[in-house]
Amino acid sequence: MWHKSDRGNVGIDIFGGDHTPDPTNLRNIVELLLTAHIYNQSETLTEDDLPAEIRKHYWDSREKKVKRPISVRVQDITSLYGNKNVEQEIKALPFIDFDEFGAEIRFTIPDLAKNWFVKQEDAMDKIRRNPTLASFYEKDGIDVSYEEATAYVRPKERDREYLDSLIAEIAASDDDVDLLTLVHLVAPEDVRQPIDELVLTPEQETKIEKIMQAIKHRDYLRDIGLREIGKMLFIGLPGTGKTSVARALSEKLNIPLVEVRLSMITSQYLGETSKNVDKVFELAKKLSPCILFIDEFDFIAKTRMSDEHATLKRAVNTLLKAIDEISLIDDGVLMICATNHPNLLDRAAWRRFDEIVDFPLPHTEMRKDILDIVLSRVEGDFDTQEIAGMTEEFTGSDLRMVVREAVLQSLTENRTAITQSDLISAVDDFSDRMRLMMKEYAVA
Ligand SMILES: Nc1ncnc2c1ncn2[C@@H]1O[C@H](COP(=O)(O)OP(=O)(O)OP(=O)(O)O)[C@@H](O)[C@H]1O
Ligand SMILES: [Mg+2]
């Protein structure tokens, strides 16, 4: 539809006929150029007013921002949208000037571009999700709102690029780069399962809601002197969703997650353990606001059972002290510890948490909900209620495995649609596995 006459004097003929530009590509190119043009001119716009893809592409990790001016070159378009024939394509647009040497693309007559863009098929959709464009077109009397557009753009804190630039800054100021080998860093955008794809108990939901309110009202809590908040202990069997919930909170709150396993920071050089503990907490404070997720928390109990490691004992004391000293209210660090063995923790460890969150085995309704989520994009004719009824004692992770088995089974038979009997036989296989596991357990 782009080559209709309402596009003005667009010389399609100069195209040479061998390559017809894709209208979607042209709209993307003009959106990018317009966004750059408006962003460059308006100092009041920030990185958060740019659509995430554009922001990520132009992110300057040293300065932690998108520097002005944003210049658009052929390779920017290729890397953002995958267009291969940018040079050819932009020839279809009369208001674009192409600098053959610098490969930079500019508007000759910006007003022409603005008018052309707003008449395009899905322009309104694009403008409504692009605060930079919305700010311009709103003033121009078009029915769009900058306010509403900002709601579509996720904040820069979600981006991997943002986290990476924080890390680069820390690495540059710290001789000890090994620090980053001790932890696993997750940016909100890295999280695959958002909180609404996890099936939670009402109790879990309440506790999560409470902590989110605490984070939102941090200043108020500090003002009234309520600081003992923001340390959670997740307890539950393997595969009940502890790690998934911690990550999903990072996604929900748009703050990074610093993941550390206690066994990891002791494994290499025992003598360094206390130092490592301190370093991890320091890192969390530097990345603040963030979540510090300490997995395998029961590891601290091991030290009490063998007294051969005085160094480990010292490390445990360092850890408990670090936990005491870190604060959500003052440092912006939400601490979540997780364990499969709550019974190994003594009172000294327990009393440090203001919220204990239990991850029980899912009951029948929860199992059905989990199956429905995992199967939501799987084709086939099946009854999740029946499967839920036959999977007592299965964890969320077990149920995912059952689905995986059923899908693989159907694929080996050249089907993509699964059947109820695929699921049932996957449950049977899994139950056999569990029996084998129990058998080994009994021998040991
Ligand atoms: N309640 C649940 N709702 C949806 N998915 C779940 C649930 N519980 C577990 N899962 C799925 O099972 C998998 C494993 O869960 P996760 O790693 O979070 O368990 P965990 O409690 O951290 O286990 P571990 O103690 O072994 O570390 C994830 O892919 C997760 O999506
Ligand atoms: Mg886990």
Side-chain angles (χ1 to χ4, degrees):
M1 82 161 282
W2 64 275
H3 45 83
K4 293 257 171 67
S5 56
D6 66 6
R7 293 184 65 256
N9 58 343
V10 175
I12 327 162
D13 38 308
I14 56 171
F15 237 179
D18 61 330
H19 179 80
T20 308
D22 178 341
T24 317
N25 286 349
L26 288 182
R27 288 197 291 263
N28 284 338
I29 294 172
V30 178
E31 179 184 12
L32 174 62
L33 282 162
L34 267 179
T35 305
H37 181 77
I38 295 164
Y39 183 78
N40 291 342
Q41 289 194 330
S42 172
E43 290 284 336
T44 52
L45 295 169
T46 73
E47 294 73 28
D48 284 337
D49 295 316
L50 295 169
E53 289 318 307
I54 297 179
R55 176 179 65 220
K56 285 157 69 71
H57 180 76
Y58 285 102
W59 186 251
D60 183 318
S61 64
R62 290 245 312 278
E63 307 230 352
K64 285 198 279 168
K65 60 180 190 182
V66 174
K67 284 201 294 189
R68 290 185 172 84
I70 296 181
S71 71
V72 180
R73 293 155 312 158
V74 172
Q75 61 258 46
D76 295 316
I77 292 171
T78 309
S79 98
L80 268 164
Y81 308 112
N83 309 22
K84 298 241 164 51
N85 282 304
V86 181
E87 286 96 330
Q88 277 299 322
E89 286 182 326
I90 59 172
K91 284 185 186 157
L93 300 165
F95 44 77
I96 284 180
D97 185 22
F98 177 53
D99 167 4
E100 293 278 351
F101 302 104
E104 189 174 337
I105 304 163
R106 271 190 241 103
F107 288 138
T108 45
I109 311 166
D111 284 347
L112 213 55
K114 288 166 181 167
N115 292 338
W116 178 87
F117 186 72
V118 76
K119 284 193 209 128
Q120 298 306 299
E121 199 178 9
D122 56 355
M124 293 314 269
D125 280 349
K126 283 187 185 294
I127 297 169
R128 289 209 169 94
R129 288 159 193 268
N130 181 328
T132 297
L133 293 186
S135 75
F136 168 79
Y137 283 108
E138 186 178 30
K139 281 182 221 134
D140 216 36
I142 305 283
D143 179 27
V144 290
S145 142
Y146 166 75
E147 252 346 280
E148 281 168 26
T150 53
Y152 280 104
V153 176
R154 57 193 214 201
K156 62 179 180 301
E157 286 79 7
R158 276 185 82 82
D159 299 351
R160 184 76 217 179
E161 284 77 2
Y162 181 77
L163 178 59
D164 284 344
S165 57
L166 290 182
I167 296 165
E169 193 178 65
I170 293 165
S173 67
D174 195 335
D175 313 330
D176 204 353
V177 192
D178 279 354
L179 174 59
L180 297 171
T181 62
L182 295 174
V183 298
H184 175 62
L185 294 169
V186 180
E189 73 167 339
D190 297 338
V191 175
R192 279 194 233 113
Q193 245 179 333
I195 200 97
D196 55 12
E197 286 183 24
L198 292 166
V199 178
L200 304 175
T201 64
E203 189 205 348
Q204 288 171 337
E205 275 175 3
T206 313
K207 290 186 173 172
I208 287 169
E209 182 54 33
K210 260 202 262 177
I211 206 72
M212 299 219 294
Q213 290 302 326
I215 290 169
K216 211 165 123 192
H217 301 288
R218 243 174 84 190
D219 293 341
Y220 168 71
L221 292 169
R222 186 180 24 232
D223 290 348
I224 61 169
L226 265 190
R227 290 184 152 76
E228 308 76 14
I229 200 160
K231 291 171 194 171
M232 308 175 97
L233 179 64
F234 287 5
I235 60 174
L237 289 172
T240 46
K242 301 180 295 298
T243 302
S244 304
V245 168
R247 292 187 178 180
L249 276 175
S250 145
E251 196 269 347
K252 179 92 184 170
L253 296 166
N254 284 323
I255 55 178
L257 180 85
V258 180
E259 229 178 88
V260 51
R261 288 199 191 150
L262 276 194
S263 63
M264 283 286 289
I265 59 174
T266 54
S267 60
Q268 268 185 322
Y269 309 101
L270 203 57
E272 303 276 292
T273 308
S274 285
K275 231 168 88 190
N276 287 346
V277 168
D278 282 335
K279 280 196 241 165
V280 167
F281 279 77
E282 274 314 304
L283 174 70
K285 284 185 195 167
K286 285 181 184 163
L287 289 176
S288 156
C290 71
I291 299 174
L292 173 57
F293 180 59
I294 303 182
D295 212 348
E296 303 177 349
F297 191 70
D298 46 274
F299 189 84
I300 69 161
K302 289 215 171 76
T303 58
R304 270 180 293 111
M305 294 193 232
S306 74
D307 36 29
E308 52 197 8
H309 296 316
T311 17
L312 257 191
K313 279 195 172 161
R314 262 202 306 282
V316 167
N317 287 331
T318 309
L319 175 68
L320 294 178
K321 204 161 148 266
I323 294 177
D324 282 341
E325 281 168 7
I326 205 152
S327 148
L328 172 65
I329 304 300
D330 295 322
D331 306 305
V333 178
L334 168 63
M335 205 189 59
I336 301 177
C337 296
T339 177
N340 303 329
H341 306 285
N343 54 322
L344 295 182
L345 297 174
D346 63 6
R347 277 161 165 269
W350 273 83
R351 73 169 173 78
R352 287 177 157 87
F353 298 97
D354 52 86
E355 212 62 91
I356 309 285
V357 186
D358 185 20
F359 284 71
L361 285 170
H363 55 63
T364 318
E365 273 316 299
M366 283 176 74
R367 293 199 297 274
K368 179 184 185 308
D369 292 345
I370 293 173
L371 286 164
D372 285 339
I373 288 171
V374 183
L375 286 161
S376 63
R377 278 174 300 174
V378 179
E379 265 178 72
D381 187 14
F382 40 76
D383 169 10
T384 48
Q385 188 72 55
E386 186 191 10
I387 305 297
M390 54 194 288
T391 46
E392 189 116 5
E393 308 227 335
F394 280 49
T395 62
S397 161
D398 298 339
L399 294 170
R400 283 187 83 92
M401 254 200 269
V402 164
V403 171
R404 185 192 68 194
E405 277 311 302
V407 169
L408 288 178
Q409 182 56 38
S410 73
L411 288 178
T412 59
E413 292 169 21
N414 293 322
R415 292 179 280 122
T416 48
I418 67 166
T419 62
Q420 187 71 350
S421 72
D422 289 329
L423 282 169
I424 291 174
S425 72
V427 171
D428 288 342
D429 284 353
F430 199 86
S431 305
D432 287 344
R433 259 175 80 134
M434 295 233 259
R435 266 191 291 280
L436 286 174
M437 192 177 86
M438 296 310 278
K439 200 163 131 190
E440 215 177 336
Y441 207 61
V443 176

